[in-house]
Amino acid sequence: MGRPRRPLLDRERITTTALQLIDEQGDFSVPRIARRLGAQTGSVYHRVDGRDGIVELLRERVASAIDVTTLDLRPWDTALEAWARSCRAAFAARPRTIPLLMTSPVRAPRVLEQYERAVALLRDAGFGADEVMPLLVALENPVLGSALDLAAPESMGELAQDTPTPLLAEALAAVGEGRADRAFEVGLTGFLDHARAMRAARA
Amino acid sequence: MGRPRRPLLDRERITTTALQLIDEQGDFSVPRIARRLGAQTGSVYHRVDGRDGIVELLRERVASAIDVTTLDLRPWDTALEAWARSCRAAFAARPRTIPLLMTSPVRAPRVLEQYERAVALLRDAGFGADEVMPLLVALENPVLGSALDLAAPESMGELAQDTPTPLLAEALAAVGEGRADRAFEVGLTGFLDHARAMRAARA
């Protein structure tokens, strides 16, 4: 009788409100979530595992947009490439969560399970246990960097008239729109070639 | 007589206060800067070019820690590698500024000049005007991603006991400390090899 009537819905509303605050202000706090929901701060704490618990709910929400079935594709490099593209799209939809999510330890079970599958993919492909995390993080870094880049205005520099940067202006004009996508392709190709070379060197 | 007595110092104090707010809260606002400095909001606006002006002051402050002389090294790939390492260190010291800086157009003259020198380096090395921005952004993405990664706790997952992720646990144990550095090396090597291959294909 004393239990909240809609606990699952409440955790979803807490997560959604935290996302709104992050989009607007770059961060959230439990008191600000409570104020926006017209609730007591203690009631919010009652439903989640503290601030860290809300970060994990955010992580699960953002990661839920990643197509995990990409990790079932074969060969391994096709899977890794498709997973990277899906991760980039998921994070690009929520760029301001990236620093929060990257700077706290992963505890969300569904996200840990996704890493487990990615590790299994690379171990099955023949990579050593010590090579797997450097590879996954080396893929994650440009994925997240590019997700932030996608949120940037297309024209990087406004090139103030009093700044003599003719080569930069030429380079920006030459690439035109889609700079973020082309840069991501360059980075992804470099990563995948290097991973294939590492695997070949082992074999 | 009506001019502020220490305008340069004031812009520095505004920048420093904005950095403090970002470190603490993930973002800044002009009224919050004013409150912390014990000043009127209008007085802060009087000294800077609005919120965007403060973002550019932040960009110059963070970029001032980058060793630009790296771009004078030769050959070109040695220069690019040293510049990337210096950029990573500069941004790793201020990870929470990254989303703010990446999602607004670059206007700060000294930062545009740094890009101009990087573009010149790549054009001198023989890259086409259309290849330069994709390459520079493809380098910037993992640099910034890795700067965020450096701010993360060393042990990525706490691996809750009820989550069956034995392969992930093994991979984390195998890499031990320095995961962020090893991942950055993998990514940087892949990028530089790919850039060298692109250049060779042109020649």
Side-chain angles (χ1 to χ4, degrees):
Chain A
M1 302 291 274
R3 290 171 53 203
R5 258 185 311 153
R6 302 182 307 175
L8 286 173
L9 179 61
D10 281 359
R11 284 163 66 100
E12 280 187 24
R13 286 176 64 214
I14 289 168
T15 311
T16 301
T17 307
L19 274 173
Q20 286 168 354
L21 286 165
I22 292 166
D23 283 344
E24 292 165 22
Q25 304 170 11
D27 205 348
F28 72 91
S29 73
V30 177
R32 273 185 277 164
I33 290 172
R35 211 174 304 136
R36 195 162 283 198
L37 288 173
Q40 300 289 325
T41 299
S43 309
V44 175
Y45 275 116
H46 186 66
R47 281 165 181 76
V48 298
D49 189 11
R51 178 184 163 85
D52 289 349
I54 297 176
V55 171
E56 293 315 294
L57 289 171
L58 290 167
R59 196 187 304 280
E60 294 217 325
R61 174 76 67 89
V62 174
S64 70
I66 301 171
D67 179 3
V68 199
T69 66
T70 52
L71 291 170
D72 298 326
L73 295 169
R74 292 295 178 276
W76 64 277
D77 47 352
T78 301
L80 214 53
E81 178 178 346
W83 185 57
R85 292 186 191 283
S86 185
C87 288
R88 177 180 182 240
F91 281 99
R94 295 293 182 187
R96 297 195 79 179
T97 64
I98 292 174
L100 271 179
L101 298 183
M102 278 193 85
T103 52
S104 71
V106 179
R107 293 184 304 147
R110 269 175 288 185
V111 177
L112 289 173
E113 281 160 24
Q114 196 168 147
Y115 277 109
E116 178 76 0
R117 290 176 68 171
V119 173
L121 172 76
L122 291 177
R123 296 302 310 273
D124 286 350
F127 289 99
D130 61 321
E131 294 176 312
V132 168
M133 290 315 300
L135 275 168
L136 288 180
V137 176
L139 181 58
E140 201 171 60
N141 286 339
V143 160
L144 296 173
S146 183
L148 284 171
D149 187 37
L150 276 176
E154 182 67 37
S155 168
M156 187 192 72
E158 289 175 10
L159 304 184
Q161 285 188 321
D162 53 353
T163 306
T165 55
L167 293 170
L168 175 58
E170 183 191 21
L172 285 168
V175 70
E177 298 202 358
R179 185 204 70 222
D181 288 340
R182 283 193 58 196
F184 182 67
E185 296 305 322
V186 168
L188 188 58
T189 303
F191 171 83
L192 290 169
D193 283 351
H194 183 52
R196 284 187 281 258
M198 279 174 67
R199 181 164 172 270
R202 269 189 84 82
Chain B
M1 303 292 271
R3 289 170 55 202
R5 257 185 312 154
R6 301 184 305 175
L8 285 174
L9 179 62
D10 280 1
R11 284 162 67 99
E12 280 187 24
R13 285 176 65 213
I14 289 168
T15 310
T16 300
T17 307
L19 274 174
Q20 286 168 353
L21 287 166
I22 291 166
D23 282 344
E24 292 164 21
Q25 303 170 12
D27 205 349
F28 72 91
S29 73
V30 179
R32 271 185 279 163
I33 289 173
R35 211 174 305 138
R36 196 162 284 198
L37 289 173
Q40 300 289 324
T41 299
S43 308
V44 175
Y45 275 116
H46 186 65
R47 281 163 180 78
V48 298
D49 189 11
R51 179 184 163 83
D52 289 350
I54 297 175
V55 172
E56 293 315 294
L57 289 172
L58 290 168
R59 195 187 303 281
E60 294 216 325
R61 174 75 68 89
V62 174
S64 70
I66 301 172
D67 178 4
V68 200
T69 66
T70 51
L71 291 170
D72 298 326
L73 295 169
R74 292 294 179 273
W76 65 276
D77 46 353
T78 299
L80 214 53
E81 179 178 345
W83 185 56
R85 292 186 193 280
S86 185
C87 289
R88 178 180 181 240
F91 280 99
R94 295 293 182 186
R96 298 196 80 177
T97 64
I98 293 174
L100 271 178
L101 298 183
M102 279 194 85
T103 53
S104 71
V106 179
R107 293 184 304 147
R110 268 176 288 184
V111 178
L112 289 172
E113 281 160 25
Q114 194 168 148
Y115 277 109
E116 178 76 0
R117 291 176 68 170
V119 173
L121 171 76
L122 291 178
R123 294 305 309 276
D124 286 349
F127 289 99
D130 61 320
E131 293 175 313
V132 168
M133 290 315 298
L135 274 169
L136 288 180
V137 176
L139 180 58
E140 199 171 62
N141 287 338
V143 161
L144 296 174
S146 183
L148 284 171
D149 187 36
L150 276 176
E154 181 67 36
S155 168
M156 187 192 75
E158 289 175 9
L159 304 183
Q161 286 189 321
D162 53 352
T163 306
T165 55
L167 292 170
L168 175 58
E170 183 191 22
L172 286 169
V175 72
E177 297 202 0
R179 186 203 70 224
D181 289 339
R182 282 194 57 195
F184 182 67
E185 296 305 322
V186 167
L188 188 59
T189 304
F191 170 83
L192 289 169
D193 283 350
H194 184 50
R196 284 186 281 256
M198 281 174 66
R199 179 162 172 271
R202 270 188 82 83

PDB file of all heavy atoms in Angstrom, chain A residues 128-160:
ATOM      1  N   GLY A 128      43.976 -11.680 -28.633  1.00  0.00           N
ATOM      2  CA  GLY A 128      44.331 -12.069 -27.276  1.00  0.00           C
ATOM      3  C   GLY A 128      43.537 -11.273 -26.252  1.00  0.00           C
ATOM      4  O   GLY A 128      43.057 -10.171 -26.538  1.00  0.00           O
ATOM      5  N   ALA A 129      43.430 -11.836 -25.049  1.00  0.00           N
ATOM      6  CA  ALA A 129      42.672 -11.173 -23.980  1.00  0.00           C
ATOM      7  C   ALA A 129      43.213  -9.769 -23.718  1.00  0.00           C
ATOM      8  O   ALA A 129      42.450  -8.836 -23.439  1.00  0.00           O
ATOM      9  CB  ALA A 129      42.725 -12.003 -22.698  1.00  0.00           C
ATOM     10  N   ASP A 130      44.536  -9.606 -23.848  1.00  0.00           N
ATOM     11  CA  ASP A 130      45.129  -8.295 -23.551  1.00  0.00           C
ATOM     12  C   ASP A 130      44.931  -7.281 -24.671  1.00  0.00           C
ATOM     13  O   ASP A 130      45.176  -6.095 -24.483  1.00  0.00           O
ATOM     14  CB  ASP A 130      46.627  -8.447 -23.259  1.00  0.00           C
ATOM     15  CG  ASP A 130      47.357  -9.017 -24.470  1.00  0.00           C
ATOM     16  OD1 ASP A 130      46.804  -9.913 -25.142  1.00  0.00           O
ATOM     17  OD2 ASP A 130      48.472  -8.550 -24.773  1.00  0.00           O
ATOM     18  N   GLU A 131      44.531  -7.746 -25.860  1.00  0.00           N
ATOM     19  CA  GLU A 131      44.369  -6.828 -26.993  1.00  0.00           C
ATOM     20  C   GLU A 131      42.953  -6.262 -27.084  1.00  0.00           C
ATOM     21  O   GLU A 131      42.717  -5.264 -27.781  1.00  0.00           O
ATOM     22  CB  GLU A 131      44.670  -7.560 -28.306  1.00  0.00           C
ATOM     23  CG  GLU A 131      46.119  -7.986 -28.453  1.00  0.00           C
ATOM     24  CD  GLU A 131      46.340  -8.796 -29.726  1.00  0.00           C
ATOM     25  OE1 GLU A 131      45.550  -9.744 -29.994  1.00  0.00           O
ATOM     26  OE2 GLU A 131      47.301  -8.501 -30.447  1.00  0.00           O
ATOM     27  N   VAL A 132      42.014  -6.935 -26.399  1.00  0.00           N
ATOM     28  CA  VAL A 132      40.607  -6.643 -26.646  1.00  0.00           C
ATOM     29  C   VAL A 132      40.183  -5.258 -26.142  1.00  0.00           C
ATOM     30  O   VAL A 132      39.575  -4.480 -26.880  1.00  0.00           O
ATOM     31  CB  VAL A 132      39.726  -7.750 -26.014  1.00  0.00           C
ATOM     32  CG1 VAL A 132      38.280  -7.326 -25.988  1.00  0.00           C
ATOM     33  CG2 VAL A 132      39.894  -9.053 -26.777  1.00  0.00           C
ATOM     34  N   MET A 133      40.519  -4.923 -24.906  1.00  0.00           N
ATOM     35  CA  MET A 133      40.073  -3.623 -24.385  1.00  0.00           C
ATOM     36  C   MET A 133      40.725  -2.456 -25.115  1.00  0.00           C
ATOM     37  O   MET A 133      40.034  -1.493 -25.467  1.00  0.00           O
ATOM     38  CB  MET A 133      40.300  -3.515 -22.870  1.00  0.00           C
ATOM     39  CG  MET A 133      39.399  -4.395 -22.022  1.00  0.00           C
ATOM     40  SD  MET A 133      37.635  -4.398 -22.498  1.00  0.00           S
ATOM     41  CE  MET A 133      37.202  -2.680 -22.302  1.00  0.00           C
ATOM     42  N   PRO A 134      42.064  -2.505 -25.377  1.00  0.00           N
ATOM     43  CA  PRO A 134      42.631  -1.415 -26.181  1.00  0.00           C
ATOM     44  C   PRO A 134      41.917  -1.247 -27.525  1.00  0.00           C
ATOM     45  O   PRO A 134      41.662  -0.129 -27.960  1.00  0.00           O
ATOM     46  CB  PRO A 134      44.097  -1.836 -26.360  1.00  0.00           C
ATOM     47  CG  PRO A 134      44.388  -2.627 -25.124  1.00  0.00           C
ATOM     48  CD  PRO A 134      43.109  -3.386 -24.836  1.00  0.00           C
ATOM     49  N   LEU A 135      41.571  -2.375 -28.164  1.00  0.00           N
ATOM     50  CA  LEU A 135      40.870  -2.277 -29.446  1.00  0.00           C
ATOM     51  C   LEU A 135      39.487  -1.662 -29.285  1.00  0.00           C
ATOM     52  O   LEU A 135      39.094  -0.771 -30.050  1.00  0.00           O
ATOM     53  CB  LEU A 135      40.742  -3.662 -30.084  1.00  0.00           C
ATOM     54  CG  LEU A 135      41.930  -4.136 -30.914  1.00  0.00           C
ATOM     55  CD1 LEU A 135      41.776  -5.619 -31.234  1.00  0.00           C
ATOM     56  CD2 LEU A 135      42.021  -3.329 -32.216  1.00  0.00           C
ATOM     57  N   LEU A 136      38.732  -2.133 -28.307  1.00  0.00           N
ATOM     58  CA  LEU A 136      37.357  -1.626 -28.149  1.00  0.00           C
ATOM     59  C   LEU A 136      37.353  -0.144 -27.782  1.00  0.00           C
ATOM     60  O   LEU A 136      36.533   0.623 -28.289  1.00  0.00           O
ATOM     61  CB  LEU A 136      36.596  -2.448 -27.103  1.00  0.00           C
ATOM     62  CG  LEU A 136      36.208  -3.866 -27.532  1.00  0.00           C
ATOM     63  CD1 LEU A 136      35.456  -4.571 -26.402  1.00  0.00           C
ATOM     64  CD2 LEU A 136      35.346  -3.857 -28.798  1.00  0.00           C
ATOM     65  N   VAL A 137      38.280   0.247 -26.906  1.00  0.00           N
ATOM     66  CA  VAL A 137      38.323   1.661 -26.517  1.00  0.00           C
ATOM     67  C   VAL A 137      38.847   2.513 -27.678  1.00  0.00           C
ATOM     68  O   VAL A 137      38.388   3.636 -27.889  1.00  0.00           O
ATOM     69  CB  VAL A 137      39.161   1.846 -25.237  1.00  0.00           C
ATOM     70  CG1 VAL A 137      39.287   3.309 -24.872  1.00  0.00           C
ATOM     71  CG2 VAL A 137      38.523   1.072 -24.078  1.00  0.00           C
ATOM     72  N   ALA A 138      39.796   1.945 -28.449  1.00  0.00           N
ATOM     73  CA  ALA A 138      40.305   2.671 -29.622  1.00  0.00           C
ATOM     74  C   ALA A 138      39.212   2.862 -30.663  1.00  0.00           C
ATOM     75  O   ALA A 138      39.276   3.787 -31.481  1.00  0.00           O
ATOM     76  CB  ALA A 138      41.487   1.934 -30.236  1.00  0.00           C
ATOM     77  N   LEU A 139      38.198   1.994 -30.658  1.00  0.00           N
ATOM     78  CA  LEU A 139      37.055   2.176 -31.555  1.00  0.00           C
ATOM     79  C   LEU A 139      36.051   3.152 -30.950  1.00  0.00           C
ATOM     80  O   LEU A 139      35.465   3.991 -31.640  1.00  0.00           O
ATOM     81  CB  LEU A 139      36.383   0.824 -31.810  1.00  0.00           C
ATOM     82  CG  LEU A 139      35.172   0.815 -32.741  1.00  0.00           C
ATOM     83  CD1 LEU A 139      35.536   1.377 -34.111  1.00  0.00           C
ATOM     84  CD2 LEU A 139      34.620  -0.602 -32.899  1.00  0.00           C
ATOM     85  N   GLU A 140      35.884   3.060 -29.634  1.00  0.00           N
ATOM     86  CA  GLU A 140      34.905   3.901 -28.937  1.00  0.00           C
ATOM     87  C   GLU A 140      35.307   5.381 -28.978  1.00  0.00           C
ATOM     88  O   GLU A 140      34.447   6.261 -29.096  1.00  0.00           O
ATOM     89  CB  GLU A 140      34.838   3.418 -27.480  1.00  0.00           C
ATOM     90  CG  GLU A 140      33.602   3.785 -26.732  1.00  0.00           C
ATOM     91  CD  GLU A 140      33.575   3.052 -25.381  1.00  0.00           C
ATOM     92  OE1 GLU A 140      34.496   3.243 -24.550  1.00  0.00           O
ATOM     93  OE2 GLU A 140      32.638   2.278 -25.181  1.00  0.00           O
ATOM     94  N   ASN A 141      36.609   5.656 -28.861  1.00  0.00           N
ATOM     95  CA  ASN A 141      37.052   7.056 -28.829  1.00  0.00           C
ATOM     96  C   ASN A 141      36.618   7.843 -30.068  1.00  0.00           C
ATOM     97  O   ASN A 141      36.001   8.900 -29.925  1.00  0.00           O
ATOM     98  CB  ASN A 141      38.572   7.139 -28.653  1.00  0.00           C
ATOM     99  CG  ASN A 141      39.009   6.793 -27.236  1.00  0.00           C
ATOM    100  OD1 ASN A 141      38.215   6.859 -26.303  1.00  0.00           O
ATOM    101  ND2 ASN A 141      40.263   6.419 -27.083  1.00  0.00           N
ATOM    102  N   PRO A 142      36.916   7.375 -31.288  1.00  0.00           N
ATOM    103  CA  PRO A 142      36.464   8.144 -32.451  1.00  0.00           C
ATOM    104  C   PRO A 142      34.948   8.092 -32.635  1.00  0.00           C
ATOM    105  O   PRO A 142      34.370   9.028 -33.181  1.00  0.00           O
ATOM    106  CB  PRO A 142      37.191   7.490 -33.634  1.00  0.00           C
ATOM    107  CG  PRO A 142      37.568   6.136 -33.156  1.00  0.00           C
ATOM    108  CD  PRO A 142      37.801   6.258 -31.689  1.00  0.00           C
ATOM    109  N   VAL A 143      34.308   7.011 -32.184  1.00  0.00           N
ATOM    110  CA  VAL A 143      32.846   6.944 -32.273  1.00  0.00           C
ATOM    111  C   VAL A 143      32.226   8.071 -31.449  1.00  0.00           C
ATOM    112  O   VAL A 143      31.353   8.805 -31.918  1.00  0.00           O
ATOM    113  CB  VAL A 143      32.334   5.566 -31.791  1.00  0.00           C
ATOM    114  CG1 VAL A 143      30.869   5.626 -31.410  1.00  0.00           C
ATOM    115  CG2 VAL A 143      32.580   4.501 -32.866  1.00  0.00           C
ATOM    116  N   LEU A 144      32.724   8.241 -30.217  1.00  0.00           N
ATOM    117  CA  LEU A 144      32.150   9.266 -29.349  1.00  0.00           C
ATOM    118  C   LEU A 144      32.601  10.661 -29.783  1.00  0.00           C
ATOM    119  O   LEU A 144      31.815  11.608 -29.759  1.00  0.00           O
ATOM    120  CB  LEU A 144      32.518   8.989 -27.893  1.00  0.00           C
ATOM    121  CG  LEU A 144      31.921   7.675 -27.363  1.00  0.00           C
ATOM    122  CD1 LEU A 144      32.446   7.363 -25.973  1.00  0.00           C
ATOM    123  CD2 LEU A 144      30.400   7.732 -27.352  1.00  0.00           C
ATOM    124  N   GLY A 145      33.862  10.777 -30.199  1.00  0.00           N
ATOM    125  CA  GLY A 145      34.324  12.065 -30.724  1.00  0.00           C
ATOM    126  C   GLY A 145      33.492  12.487 -31.925  1.00  0.00           C
ATOM    127  O   GLY A 145      33.095  13.641 -32.049  1.00  0.00           O
ATOM    128  N   SER A 146      33.203  11.537 -32.793  1.00  0.00           N
ATOM    129  CA  SER A 146      32.433  11.859 -33.993  1.00  0.00           C
ATOM    130  C   SER A 146      30.973  12.152 -33.667  1.00  0.00           C
ATOM    131  O   SER A 146      30.335  12.974 -34.341  1.00  0.00           O
ATOM    132  CB  SER A 146      32.533  10.706 -34.994  1.00  0.00           C
ATOM    133  OG  SER A 146      31.861  11.025 -36.187  1.00  0.00           O
ATOM    134  N   ALA A 147      30.446  11.497 -32.637  1.00  0.00           N
ATOM    135  CA  ALA A 147      29.071  11.800 -32.211  1.00  0.00           C
ATOM    136  C   ALA A 147      28.983  13.255 -31.749  1.00  0.00           C
ATOM    137  O   ALA A 147      28.019  13.968 -32.050  1.00  0.00           O
ATOM    138  CB  ALA A 147      28.634  10.852 -31.101  1.00  0.00           C
ATOM    139  N   LEU A 148      30.009  13.719 -31.041  1.00  0.00           N
ATOM    140  CA  LEU A 148      30.055  15.131 -30.642  1.00  0.00           C
ATOM    141  C   LEU A 148      30.216  16.025 -31.865  1.00  0.00           C
ATOM    142  O   LEU A 148      29.600  17.083 -31.965  1.00  0.00           O
ATOM    143  CB  LEU A 148      31.216  15.376 -29.670  1.00  0.00           C
ATOM    144  CG  LEU A 148      30.997  14.904 -28.234  1.00  0.00           C
ATOM    145  CD1 LEU A 148      32.293  14.990 -27.438  1.00  0.00           C
ATOM    146  CD2 LEU A 148      29.917  15.746 -27.556  1.00  0.00           C
ATOM    147  N   ASP A 149      31.043  15.580 -32.798  1.00  0.00           N
ATOM    148  CA  ASP A 149      31.294  16.362 -34.012  1.00  0.00           C
ATOM    149  C   ASP A 149      30.014  16.518 -34.833  1.00  0.00           C
ATOM    150  O   ASP A 149      29.762  17.577 -35.421  1.00  0.00           O
ATOM    151  CB  ASP A 149      32.372  15.643 -34.837  1.00  0.00           C
ATOM    152  CG  ASP A 149      32.836  16.448 -36.033  1.00  0.00           C
ATOM    153  OD1 ASP A 149      32.924  17.681 -35.916  1.00  0.00           O
ATOM    154  OD2 ASP A 149      33.109  15.851 -37.083  1.00  0.00           O
ATOM    155  N   LEU A 150      29.173  15.477 -34.852  1.00  0.00           N
ATOM    156  CA  LEU A 150      27.908  15.550 -35.596  1.00  0.00           C
ATOM    157  C   LEU A 150      26.987  16.615 -35.007  1.00  0.00           C
ATOM    158  O   LEU A 150      26.125  17.150 -35.696  1.00  0.00           O
ATOM    159  CB  LEU A 150      27.184  14.197 -35.554  1.00  0.00           C
ATOM    160  CG  LEU A 150      27.604  13.174 -36.593  1.00  0.00           C
ATOM    161  CD1 LEU A 150      26.863  11.866 -36.333  1.00  0.00           C
ATOM    162  CD2 LEU A 150      27.303  13.666 -37.999  1.00  0.00           C
ATOM    163  N   ALA A 151      27.161  16.876 -33.707  1.00  0.00           N
ATOM    164  CA  ALA A 151      26.318  17.878 -33.053  1.00  0.00           C
ATOM    165  C   ALA A 151      26.844  19.289 -33.294  1.00  0.00           C
ATOM    166  O   ALA A 151      26.214  20.265 -32.901  1.00  0.00           O
ATOM    167  CB  ALA A 151      26.255  17.599 -31.552  1.00  0.00           C
ATOM    168  N   ALA A 152      28.023  19.382 -33.952  1.00  0.00           N
ATOM    169  CA  ALA A 152      28.617  20.694 -34.203  1.00  0.00           C
ATOM    170  C   ALA A 152      27.988  21.331 -35.441  1.00  0.00           C
ATOM    171  O   ALA A 152      27.470  20.634 -36.310  1.00  0.00           O
ATOM    172  CB  ALA A 152      30.125  20.540 -34.404  1.00  0.00           C
ATOM    173  N   PRO A 153      28.059  22.636 -35.539  1.00  0.00           N
ATOM    174  CA  PRO A 153      27.596  23.294 -36.757  1.00  0.00           C
ATOM    175  C   PRO A 153      28.440  22.844 -37.935  1.00  0.00           C
ATOM    176  O   PRO A 153      29.637  22.598 -37.784  1.00  0.00           O
ATOM    177  CB  PRO A 153      27.805  24.788 -36.469  1.00  0.00           C
ATOM    178  CG  PRO A 153      28.666  24.861 -35.268  1.00  0.00           C
ATOM    179  CD  PRO A 153      28.572  23.566 -34.540  1.00  0.00           C
ATOM    180  N   GLU A 154      27.839  22.694 -39.088  1.00  0.00           N
ATOM    181  CA  GLU A 154      28.529  22.100 -40.247  1.00  0.00           C
ATOM    182  C   GLU A 154      29.771  22.905 -40.635  1.00  0.00           C
ATOM    183  O   GLU A 154      30.808  22.342 -40.913  1.00  0.00           O
ATOM    184  CB  GLU A 154      27.555  21.980 -41.424  1.00  0.00           C
ATOM    185  CG  GLU A 154      28.137  21.335 -42.677  1.00  0.00           C
ATOM    186  CD  GLU A 154      28.485  19.851 -42.503  1.00  0.00           C
ATOM    187  OE1 GLU A 154      27.746  19.131 -41.803  1.00  0.00           O
ATOM    188  OE2 GLU A 154      29.496  19.422 -43.061  1.00  0.00           O
ATOM    189  N   SER A 155      29.672  24.203 -40.615  1.00  0.00           N
ATOM    190  CA  SER A 155      30.838  25.015 -40.956  1.00  0.00           C
ATOM    191  C   SER A 155      31.637  25.294 -39.698  1.00  0.00           C
ATOM    192  O   SER A 155      31.190  26.018 -38.814  1.00  0.00           O
ATOM    193  CB  SER A 155      30.396  26.328 -41.590  1.00  0.00           C
ATOM    194  OG  SER A 155      31.499  27.195 -41.658  1.00  0.00           O
ATOM    195  N   MET A 156      32.822  24.686 -39.617  1.00  0.00           N
ATOM    196  CA  MET A 156      33.569  24.729 -38.376  1.00  0.00           C
ATOM    197  C   MET A 156      33.993  26.126 -37.994  1.00  0.00           C
ATOM    198  O   MET A 156      33.793  26.569 -36.879  1.00  0.00           O
ATOM    199  CB  MET A 156      34.808  23.852 -38.490  1.00  0.00           C
ATOM    200  CG  MET A 156      35.548  23.698 -37.200  1.00  0.00           C
ATOM    201  SD  MET A 156      37.168  22.955 -37.484  1.00  0.00           S
ATOM    202  CE  MET A 156      38.057  24.301 -38.261  1.00  0.00           C
ATOM    203  N   GLY A 157      34.579  26.815 -38.920  1.00  0.00           N
ATOM    204  CA  GLY A 157      35.095  28.129 -38.576  1.00  0.00           C
ATOM    205  C   GLY A 157      34.308  29.196 -39.307  1.00  0.00           C
ATOM    206  O   GLY A 157      33.933  29.016 -40.458  1.00  0.00           O
ATOM    207  N   GLU A 158      34.040  30.275 -38.652  1.00  0.00           N
ATOM    208  CA  GLU A 158      33.396  31.380 -39.361  1.00  0.00           C
ATOM    209  C   GLU A 158      34.446  32.237 -40.053  1.00  0.00           C
ATOM    210  O   GLU A 158      34.116  33.090 -40.861  1.00  0.00           O
ATOM    211  CB  GLU A 158      32.554  32.215 -38.384  1.00  0.00           C
ATOM    212  CG  GLU A 158      31.310  31.455 -37.942  1.00  0.00           C
ATOM    213  CD  GLU A 158      30.522  32.198 -36.878  1.00  0.00           C
ATOM    214  OE1 GLU A 158      30.839  33.372 -36.630  1.00  0.00           O
ATOM    215  OE2 GLU A 158      29.603  31.593 -36.311  1.00  0.00           O
ATOM    216  N   LEU A 159      35.700  31.977 -39.745  1.00  0.00           N
ATOM    217  CA  LEU A 159      36.819  32.593 -40.449  1.00  0.00           C
ATOM    218  C   LEU A 159      36.694  34.102 -40.492  1.00  0.00           C
ATOM    219  O   LEU A 159      36.486  34.705 -41.540  1.00  0.00           O
ATOM    220  CB  LEU A 159      36.919  32.019 -41.863  1.00  0.00           C
ATOM    221  CG  LEU A 159      37.054  30.495 -41.920  1.00  0.00           C
ATOM    222  CD1 LEU A 159      37.248  30.034 -43.343  1.00  0.00           C
ATOM    223  CD2 LEU A 159      38.172  29.998 -41.031  1.00  0.00           C
ATOM    224  N   ALA A 160      36.779  34.675 -39.317  1.00  0.00           N
ATOM    225  CA  ALA A 160      36.700  36.133 -39.184  1.00  0.00           C
ATOM    226  C   ALA A 160      37.631  36.793 -40.193  1.00  0.00           C
ATOM    227  O   ALA A 160      38.737  36.319 -40.433  1.00  0.00           O
ATOM    228  CB  ALA A 160      37.087  36.533 -37.757  1.00  0.00           C
TER     229      ALA A 160
END
